Amino acid sequence: MSVSVRDALRMAGLYLLLSILWLTLSELVLQSMSEDPLALTVGRQINVVVWVLLSALLIFVSRARLLNFIGIGARLRSEDRERLRMAAAVFDSTLEGVLVTDRNGLIVHVNRAFMRITGYQQDEVIGQRPSKFKSGRHGAPFYQQIYAALNAKGEWSGEIWNRRKSGEIYPQWQTICAIRDDSGELSHYVAVFSDISAIKHTEQELAYLAHHDPLTGLPNRLLFNDRAEQALAAAQLNKRGCALLLLDLDHFQSINDGLGHTIGDQLLKLVGERLREVVGNGVTLARLGGDEFGVLAENCQQVGQAGKLAQSIIERLREPFTFDDHRLFISVSIGISLFPSDALSAEQLLRNADSALFKAKSSGRACYALYTEELTAHAQHRVETAGELRRALEQEELRVFFQPVYDLFNAKMIGVEALVRWQHPQRGLVPPGEFIPIAERTGLIAEIDAWVLRQACRQMVQWQQDGRVLAFVAVNISSRLFSQRELYRQVADVLHDTGLDPSLLELEVTESAVMEDPEVALEQLHRLRELGLTLAIDDFGTGYSSLLRLKRLPVQKLKIDQGFVAGLPFDDDDIAIVRVIIALARSMGMQVHAEGIEQAEQARFLLEQQCQLGQGYWFGRPVPAGDLHWG
Ligand code: C2E
Ligand code: MG
Ligand code: MG
């Protein structure tokens, strides 16, 4: 219930009027009723008593209303005080900075958060204009649109850069309201703002993360592509050239598999650092993923320049990486594509560099290759072949051929090497050199090698059962597979499933696969050796074997690469190399096996040098199992 002042006055007026009316009427009635002065006095006294009683009754009846009236003023004042006190507390304790100006834009009030954020004290800003805090980052049109919004809608909010007392500029999220009084006249402006520099920082961090590789801190593929596009546009304008180098660490997977991802990551980080040093400033370097890096050299006019850069990268990465207790040797293959001669778009440039990289990988790795147009055709062929190869496995188009291995001392077949072939429905018999590298790249090699191993073991068991005496069947293991830990399990399974005596199985791993990561190789070879099989190093002499390391390997046989046999018995270099390999093998108690013997003189020379085993067209080409000649 509420009683206004006007109501109260009206009530008091009515009461007075009634009182006067009562007293006047009762006086008139008394005078007309009695002439006796005593009776008149008594009557008047009774009248006053009745008036007092009536007044008391009236006051009693309306007491609630009166009390209410008197009390309400007091209550209103204390509520207002409370409300104001609360408003002030909120105003002062809020985390947002608050700034109030009068209608002329002069600051009349700021809160504590304002002082904390801006560094200004209240007395330093009262009476001043907010333009004092301008950062200089926004032009006049920016402030004009704020005033326009305030005029039109009475409110503006947005991001604004201001300057702290320290001079530092920082971003704010600010809301400004125009305050009008009851009559609609503009009275104040209130600005509420928060310091969003932390959020901005996070945003920047996020943007950085989206464009950089967290491990090496280098730009990622996204940023690399972006920069490449920009560089090409600029190069086109200035009629300059660019070179795109695509780098891939050779056999990095084996480091990851063998030593764990932590070591792999550490190595990648160090590689990133070294690359940064080699390429220097003005060259975009990026980690494109896994062990792949991209280099974009602007102002690279000639092939020679790009080649020089690639060579310096190869040499720098060849130096050992030492960290913790590890000393790792790695190599890198590089594909180069040039703008504008090879491609006009960044995307095509990358694709061409990838083709060139494949060429570098297939020509022995640890080198660079330049893009040529034929590579596109090759790349296309590769993609097609990869698809077909998958089908070939499903449709059983692969075949295992066997090539005899002879004991040169008694000129008898002592073993065979299993060599895979692809019986292509249109292309005929495809040699492994044409599809093994593709299978290695696509990962299909694991299935192929497992299949060949199984077939070879099965065939060997069959020969045993047929009474054909052979000391071993040799099976090639790809370097890709060699670095995988499951290899041991796979081989054990095949031996178990086929029932082949492990001593009749020989696994050939290439020298480069072993030397890529000798520590992993050592462990892997020991495990395989525990199965009871024989281990041979294939294509020996083509890698960069460390003789000391070779000595530690549980290997029983060295296969001299056919490249050295080809020059026998006349080429002095080949003679010297073959002699050294034979002497070396014997000194380490290993058997020596010469590949690619095509002539009788070669076989004779090798026999003279005490090389016990020989293989080559002179003795027999690889043939299906049924076509093998048993002497
Ligand atoms: P490799 O293991 O060194 O095999 C010897 C290669 O030399 C075979 O070629 C063989 O046909 C060839 N060869 C043998 N005697 C002579 C000769 O007197 N003169 C000449 N010019 N060549 C001779 P092929 O079968 O084409 O195999 C090539 C390579 O493919 C093999 O070299 C091996 O590294 C790889 N390979 C073959 N089969 C497999 C397989 O099942 N798995 C894996 N991972 N690789 C395989
Ligand atoms: Mg071989
Ligand atoms: Mg070989």
Side-chain angles (χ1 to χ4, degrees):
M1 193 199 307
S2 70
V3 179
S4 68
V5 175
R6 200 177 292 175
D7 287 343
L9 285 175
R10 209 178 285 149
M11 276 164 59
L14 192 66
Y15 169 73
L16 267 173
L17 199 70
L18 284 173
S19 299
I20 291 165
L21 209 65
W22 162 265
L23 290 172
T24 314
L25 280 174
S26 55
E27 181 67 27
L28 286 175
V29 170
L30 274 176
Q31 279 183 9
S32 66
M33 281 175 60
S34 176
E35 301 269 305
D36 180 0
L38 187 69
L40 212 59
T41 308
V42 173
R44 274 185 190 138
Q45 282 170 349
I46 294 169
N47 208 14
V48 168
V49 170
V50 171
W51 174 76
V52 169
L53 285 173
L54 276 174
S55 293
L57 185 71
L58 191 74
I59 288 168
F60 181 77
V61 169
S62 57
R63 113 189 162 282
R65 282 179 161 238
L66 274 170
L67 281 176
N68 205 7
F69 167 68
I70 298 159
I72 213 133
R75 220 173 23 247
L76 259 177
R77 276 196 295 280
S78 90
E79 261 181 24
D80 269 357
R81 260 203 309 278
E82 178 68 5
R83 217 179 290 150
L84 283 171
R85 206 174 57 73
M86 275 168 55
V90 170
F91 180 75
D92 232 33
S93 62
T94 182
L95 289 174
E96 271 90 35
V98 180
L99 173 151
V100 184
T101 74
D102 62 16
R103 74 182 62 160
N104 301 316
L106 297 176
I107 299 171
V108 293
H109 202 92
V110 291
N111 71 344
R112 240 188 301 169
F114 171 95
M115 295 186 262
R116 181 176 43 79
I117 297 171
T118 64
Y120 284 106
Q121 290 306 307
Q122 204 163 353
D123 53 1
E124 292 175 298
V125 295
I126 299 290
Q128 309 243 10
R129 290 184 183 280
S131 54
K132 179 182 176 74
F133 315 118
K134 270 188 180 178
S135 64
R137 246 184 116 135
H138 308 289
F142 177 80
Y143 296 103
Q144 278 158 12
Q145 55 100 14
I146 296 180
Y147 288 119
L150 285 174
N151 284 337
K153 294 182 281 177
E155 195 181 299
W156 175 87
S157 42
E159 194 182 306
I160 184 166
W161 284 76
N162 272 338
R163 191 179 295 279
R164 296 187 221 270
K165 190 181 175 186
S166 63
E168 179 200 358
I169 67 166
Y170 68 106
Q172 295 178 341
W173 182 263
Q174 193 166 115
T175 301
I176 310 177
C177 292
I179 308 292
R180 294 180 185 276
D181 60 18
D182 289 349
S183 57
E185 281 297 306
L186 179 71
S187 68
H188 294 89
Y189 289 104
V190 177
V192 180
F193 62 90
S194 42
D195 179 353
I196 55 167
S197 45
I199 299 172
K200 276 267 148 192
H201 188 66
T202 316
E203 263 177 24
Q204 276 166 5
E205 268 181 2
L206 283 176
Y208 182 87
L209 283 179
H211 290 96
H212 288 81
D213 161 45
L215 183 68
T216 58
L218 294 174
N220 63 10
R221 187 178 282 273
L222 201 70
L223 186 56
F224 186 72
N225 286 346
D226 206 44
R227 293 220 181 135
E229 297 282 3
Q230 285 174 18
L232 294 197
Q236 194 141 32
L237 213 66
N238 305 327
K239 304 219 172 335
R240 294 228 166 104
C242 290
L244 195 153
L245 280 67
L246 198 59
L247 285 61
D248 190 287
L249 304 184
D250 299 326
H251 306 295
F252 177 72
Q253 191 58 35
S254 60
I255 292 174
N256 254 349
D257 289 347
L259 300 177
H261 287 259
T262 316
I263 301 289
D265 281 357
Q266 262 176 291
L267 180 65
L268 283 173
K269 231 168 132 174
L270 293 177
V271 167
E273 282 168 20
R274 267 198 206 172
L275 287 174
R276 242 190 227 126
E277 288 166 26
V278 185
V279 302
N281 295 330
V283 171
T284 300
L285 168 68
R287 181 176 171 217
L288 305 180
D291 59 345
E292 207 175 74
F293 293 83
V295 171
L296 183 84
E298 293 175 56
N299 276 338
C300 194
Q301 310 284 25
Q302 290 147 2
V303 178
Q305 254 175 296
K308 233 171 158 177
L309 178 61
Q311 196 53 44
S312 54
I313 291 174
I314 289 171
E315 275 160 26
R316 186 75 178 91
L317 292 192
R318 199 177 272 156
E319 291 164 30
F321 286 85
T322 316
F323 56 95
D324 300 340
D325 290 338
H326 299 275
R327 192 171 152 83
L328 296 177
F329 291 84
I330 58 163
S331 63
V332 64
S333 301
I334 304 177
I336 305 175
S337 174
L338 299 167
F339 170 89
S341 54
D342 297 337
L344 292 174
S345 74
E347 197 189 337
Q348 190 59 44
L349 213 55
L350 251 172
R351 222 175 296 142
N352 291 354
D354 192 45
S355 297
L357 175 63
F358 185 78
K359 186 173 140 195
K361 288 262 178 201
S362 19
S363 41
R365 300 188 165 96
C367 62
Y368 72 85
L370 291 158
Y371 171 78
T372 60
E373 256 172 44
E374 304 95 74
L375 284 179
T376 305
H378 280 151
Q380 211 152 0
H381 176 71
R382 244 179 13 242
V383 173
E384 284 166 15
T385 310
E388 283 187 312
L389 202 52
R390 230 165 246 124
R391 193 211 57 215
L393 263 166
E394 285 160 17
Q395 315 225 327
E396 299 183 356
E397 289 173 11
L398 297 186
R399 306 276 177 271
V400 181
F401 277 30
F402 295 91
Q403 185 176 28
V405 176
Y406 268 64
D407 183 336
L408 299 182
F409 296 163
N410 63 13
K412 284 213 159 83
M413 181 162 76
I414 183 172
V416 287
E417 177 175 4
L419 294 158
V420 69
R421 300 286 180 268
W422 179 5
Q423 187 63 57
H424 193 280
Q426 283 90 40
R427 286 158 61 192
L429 206 60
V430 183
E434 284 187 30
F435 62 90
I436 293 280
I438 296 169
E440 285 182 333
R441 209 172 144 108
T442 56
L444 272 176
I445 190 66
E447 274 175 77
I448 294 180
D449 275 5
W451 182 81
V452 173
L453 178 68
R454 197 168 284 272
Q455 299 300 312
C457 290
R458 240 183 236 160
Q459 184 57 62
M460 192 63 173
V461 169
Q462 186 62 51
W463 280 323
Q464 296 282 304
Q465 287 168 358
D466 295 347
R468 304 285 194 196
V469 182
L470 280 180
F472 61 87
V473 59
V475 178
N476 293 282
I477 298 294
S478 151
S479 56
R480 272 288 292 266
L481 210 62
F482 182 65
S483 55
Q484 288 175 11
R485 285 181 178 268
E486 314 87 82
L487 178 64
Y488 165 82
R489 185 100 309 276
Q490 272 182 12
V491 176
D493 285 350
V494 170
L495 283 171
H496 175 264
D497 296 349
T498 56
L500 180 69
D501 177 352
S503 66
L504 298 178
L505 177 64
E506 182 175 298
L507 291 185
E508 295 186 4
V509 286
T510 59
E511 185 191 7
S512 45
V514 172
M515 288 309 150
E516 239 157 53
D517 191 338
E519 294 309 313
V520 178
L522 190 66
E523 193 195 323
Q524 181 82 279
L525 291 172
H526 272 294
R527 281 166 68 90
L528 288 170
R529 184 77 183 115
E530 278 165 19
L531 290 172
L533 46 79
T534 313
L535 294 166
I537 293 197
D538 204 354
D539 304 343
F540 189 76
T542 53
Y544 302 91
S545 287
S546 144
L547 298 183
L548 268 175
R549 285 217 176 91
L550 196 63
K551 216 173 157 183
R552 288 169 55 208
L553 298 178
V555 168
Q556 291 73 53
K557 199 181 270 184
L558 290 187
K559 291 186 79 171
I560 304 174
D561 189 71
Q562 50 182 280
F564 304 115
V565 176
L568 300 181
F570 308 111
D571 185 294
D572 290 341
D573 289 343
D574 284 352
I575 291 173
I577 290 168
V578 167
R579 275 191 178 141
V580 168
I581 295 176
I582 294 171
L584 176 77
R586 291 180 65 191
S587 74
M588 291 193 284
M590 292 183 191
Q591 279 194 307
V592 216
H593 175 142
E595 295 185 282
I597 303 173
E598 295 186 349
Q599 297 155 21
E601 306 91 81
Q602 291 170 332
R604 211 172 301 126
F605 176 86
L606 287 159
L607 180 61
E608 280 164 22
Q609 302 301 317
Q610 300 293 303
C611 170
Q612 192 194 347
L613 302 168
Q615 175 186 3
Y617 295 165
W618 175 253
F619 298 106
R621 289 177 178 259
V623 288
D627 297 351
L628 217 56
H629 286 292
W630 303 88

